Amino acid sequence: MNNEILVVGSVALDTIKTPFGDAKAVLGGSAVYFSIAASSFSKVNIVGVVGNDFPDKYIKLLKKRKIDVTGLVKQSGKTFRWTGEYKYDLNQRETLDLQLNVFKDFNPEIPDVYKNIKYIFLANIDPELQLNVLKQVKNPKLVACDTMDHWIKDKKDKVCEVLSKVDIIVINDSEARQFSGSANLVKSARKIQECGPKVVIIKKGEHGAFCFSKNWHFAAPAFPLESVYDPTGAGDSFAGGFMGYLASCDRFSEKEVKQAIIFGTVTASYCVENFSVRRLQTINFQDIKKRYNELKKITHFEPI
C-alpha cells in the first residue's frame, strides 16, 4: 500500500558556501528536502509558501518528482532566503544572512484534499503552527515532527505540547541535550519521551543516529562516503527517507522503524554529495535500496 504523506515546512532559496564549492539562490527549505527524499518511496503533498521571485523551474522539479504542490502558496514578496557557510568541520555552519520574507507570516492552511492524509510530518516551523496543522487534519495514522534550538529556548512549553500529540520526533543531538538539560543522550531521549512520543530519533550527523523506544533502542551508523560537498538538508532528507518508507509499508513495528532509519540514513547520504537537491533529484528507490544493502553488509557481525 502506497500511502501518501503530508509535509508542512519551509521552502527556501539558499546560498551556500563550503570548502568544496558554492551555490547561489538554489532550491532549499526543510519541506523541500523532505519531499524530494520521501518521493522515492511514496506520494508527497507539500504545504508551504514562496514569493513571486520563486523560479518556475523549481515548481517543475517538484512536480517531476510527483510531489503535489496544491498546498504550495505563492504570495507577493520575496521567498525565504538563507545564506550559510561551512568550514572543514561540516557539522558546524554559520548563518551569514537570513531573510524570512513571505515565510515570516506563514500560517499554513491545509487544503481539503490533504486533510485525510494518514502520514504527517511537521517540519521545523513554529510549534504553534505545528499545533494549528494538527487541528486541521483528520485522524492521522502516524505523526512525526522536527524542531530546533530556537523553539526549544523560546517556546519550550509549546514544543512539549506538540510532543504530546505526535508519535515520533526527529531531533539532533545538541537539541536533545538542550531540551533535557543533560549531556547524556540516553537520558535526553527518556526525558523527551516523557512528553509523549513513542519513538525518539536523535541524529548525530556523520556519526549516524540513535533511536529510542519504550522497550528497545537502536544505533545506526552513517553511510561512509568519499565525497561530501554540502550537508544542508541532510537531516530533512533523513526524515524524508524515514517517513517515506514507513508510509510505503504502512506498518510501525520495531522492525519497520529500524528499517526506516537505515533508509533515512542512506537517503541522506545521497543528499550531501552535491549542493542543494541536485543529487537527491537524480535518485530512485533502487539506488537507495542498493546503499541500504551495502550498509547492512558492512555493519553485519556474527554472534558469539
Side-chain angles (χ1 to χ4, degrees):
M1 183 181 296
N2 191 353
N3 287 285
E4 297 183 21
I5 302 172
L6 168 64
V7 58
V8 183
S10 63
V11 181
L13 296 174
D14 292 342
T15 296
I16 306 158
K17 184 177 181 181
T18 79
F20 314 108
D22 56 72
K24 185 176 182 181
V26 291
L27 183 60
S30 60
V32 166
Y33 281 103
F34 177 96
S35 296
I36 294 177
S39 67
S40 289
F41 301 86
S42 301
K43 181 183 176 183
V44 185
N45 306 272
I46 186 171
V47 170
V49 62
V50 297
N52 49 24
D53 61 342
F54 193 72
D56 288 340
K57 65 179 180 180
Y58 291 148
I59 299 290
K60 292 177 181 177
L61 187 159
L62 294 172
K63 289 181 177 179
K64 187 176 180 180
R65 294 290 299 191
K66 300 191 182 335
I67 297 165
D68 191 291
V69 296
T70 302
L72 186 58
V73 178
K74 181 175 283 191
Q75 293 183 354
S76 178
K78 291 185 176 181
T79 302
F80 174 33
R81 290 175 182 258
W82 174 77
T83 300
E85 182 175 3
Y86 297 85
K87 303 299 184 183
Y88 278 98
D89 180 1
L90 294 175
N91 288 316
Q92 301 293 325
R93 70 183 183 191
E94 179 184 0
T95 294
L96 303 178
D97 187 39
L98 183 67
Q99 301 174 28
L100 294 176
N101 298 325
V102 295
F103 189 59
K104 182 179 180 181
D105 298 315
F106 177 50
N107 187 18
E109 293 187 13
I110 309 303
D112 288 341
V113 292
Y114 292 175
K115 289 182 178 179
N116 289 301
I117 291 175
K118 297 304 180 185
Y119 286 82
I120 312 292
F121 186 73
L122 306 171
N124 175 23
I125 56 175
D126 188 320
E128 295 190 57
L129 297 182
Q130 293 177 326
L131 291 168
N132 184 31
V133 170
L134 292 178
K135 290 177 182 177
Q136 296 180 61
V137 296
K138 301 175 182 178
N139 300 315
K141 183 172 184 177
L142 184 69
V143 181
C145 75
D146 191 2
T147 191
M148 66 179 294
D149 54 355
H150 173 70
W151 306 126
I152 295 170
K153 177 177 178 289
D154 292 346
K155 295 190 176 185
K156 188 174 181 179
D157 59 333
K158 292 297 180 182
V159 173
C160 291
E161 189 176 347
V162 172
L163 293 180
S164 73
K165 300 177 184 297
V166 304
D167 302 289
I168 303 170
I169 180 170
V170 182
I171 191 171
N172 71 35
D173 50 354
S174 64
E175 293 159 351
R177 292 185 173 105
Q178 178 191 6
F179 184 92
S180 69
S182 172
N184 184 285
L185 289 180
V186 178
K187 292 180 179 178
S188 296
R190 299 306 181 208
K191 191 72 174 178
I192 295 169
Q193 278 184 303
E194 288 174 5
C195 295
K198 301 179 183 71
V199 172
V200 176
I201 297 172
I202 299 178
K203 301 172 293 182
K204 290 176 56 61
E206 64 180 325
H207 304 296
F210 290 141
C211 177
F212 298 89
S213 184
K214 182 179 180 180
N215 299 315
W216 56 270
H217 60 272
F218 180 61
F223 187 87
L225 296 168
E226 289 189 17
S227 299
V228 177
Y229 285 90
D230 175 21
T232 308
D236 299 305
S237 300
F238 172 95
F242 174 82
M243 283 291 286
Y245 176 72
L246 287 182
S248 70
C249 64
D250 199 30
R251 290 187 298 275
F252 182 47
S253 71
E254 177 182 346
K255 174 187 173 182
E256 284 78 35
V257 172
K258 288 179 177 179
Q259 290 174 322
I261 289 169
I262 301 302
F263 275 117
T265 295
V266 297
T267 304
S269 75
Y270 284 105
C271 173
V272 303
E273 289 184 324
N274 207 330
F275 287 90
S276 179
V277 297
R278 292 171 184 169
R279 184 71 173 105
L280 270 183
Q281 70 187 65
T282 67
I283 64 171
N284 57 33
F285 177 74
Q286 292 306 315
D287 298 313
I288 297 170
K289 183 180 177 182
K290 180 180 178 181
R291 282 195 179 175
Y292 178 100
N293 289 329
E294 288 178 21
L295 189 57
K296 181 180 185 300
K297 182 178 179 179
I298 65 176
T299 56
H300 177 78
F301 57 91
E302 298 298 336
I304 57 173

